[in-house]
Amino acid sequence: MKAFVPLLACMILITVLLAGCTGTQTATPPVQTTAAGSPTVAATPAESFELGASYLSHPTPYSFTSEKDLYTEQFRATNEPWGVEFTVNPTNEDPQYTWFKIKLTQMDTGKTDTFGYGREFAYDKYQLHRMYASGPYKVEMTGNRVSVRVDIAKIKP
């Protein structure tokens, strides 16, 4: 009987260790701090896809030199999935002064999707967002001290 006590204790210890190693944990996005000291939540990595036929593609990057700069564009999306891709190039080294915001409004329904860089958004310079709704869209872009290359296009199959 005394020989079984150490064996039983060893089995209980192994069971406890294995149970602790197999627990489920949810990942939270990392928190980053800007040079100004304000925390921002990093965006979680999005799925990857390629864009095809373009709805909106400007030959040169949009340039934002002041907070009052505004660009407005319009396009019509078909029933195929499409995406918004943009790359931000800050023109100032201090991140508290550089930001970009793109607002897409579906003109028939009034539904709005907003993405961006800096301020209330993550500091991800490259972003790719999947969209589905068709119809006429109005695009409003604002920013400060950045140049941004924007492409809105159908997703390649």
Side-chain angles (χ1 to χ4, degrees), residues 29-34 37-43 122-124:
V31 175
Q32 300 173 340
T33 304
T34 65
S38 60
T40 60
V41 177
Y123 283 89
D124 296 334

Side-chain angles (χ1 to χ4, degrees), residues 1-155:
M1 178 85 171
K2 289 185 180 183
F4 292 111
V5 172
L7 181 61
L8 184 61
C10 188
M11 289 177 63
I12 291 172
L13 181 62
I14 290 172
T15 305
V16 168
L17 289 174
L18 287 175
C21 293
T22 60
T24 59
Q25 298 177 359
T26 57
T28 57
V31 175
Q32 300 173 340
T33 304
T34 65
S38 60
T40 60
V41 177
T44 55
E47 64 180 309
S48 179
F49 53 88
E50 288 186 47
L51 297 180
S54 186
Y55 290 126
L56 174 69
S57 182
H58 204 263
T60 59
Y62 294 93
S63 180
F64 300 90
T65 57
S66 99
E67 294 192 13
K68 294 181 175 135
D69 292 342
L70 169 70
Y71 292 96
T72 304
E73 305 279 355
Q74 292 185 2
F75 69 93
R76 178 174 288 280
T78 62
N79 287 332
E80 302 169 75
W82 52 283
V84 177
E85 176 183 48
F86 61 88
T87 305
V88 177
N89 182 26
T91 58
N92 187 300
E93 292 181 18
D94 192 345
Q96 71 178 337
Y97 296 116
T98 61
W99 59 271
F100 171 70
K101 183 176 186 177
I102 183 168
K103 184 168 89 171
L104 295 104
T105 304
Q106 209 286 354
M107 293 168 49
D108 289 341
T109 64
K111 183 181 181 303
T112 300
D113 290 295
T114 305
F115 309 106
Y117 164 86
R119 276 197 172 166
E120 69 259 34
F121 302 101
Y123 283 89
D124 296 334
K125 292 180 182 176
Y126 173 79
Q127 295 184 34
L128 184 62
H129 301 279
R130 185 180 292 262
M131 305 292 287
Y132 295 99
S134 62
Y137 276 84
K138 178 181 178 182
V139 181
E140 295 176 310
M141 294 173 281
T142 56
N144 188 45
R145 298 183 185 183
V146 293
S147 67
V148 184
R149 182 167 300 279
V150 176
D151 190 19
I152 299 175
K154 294 178 183 177
I155 295 175

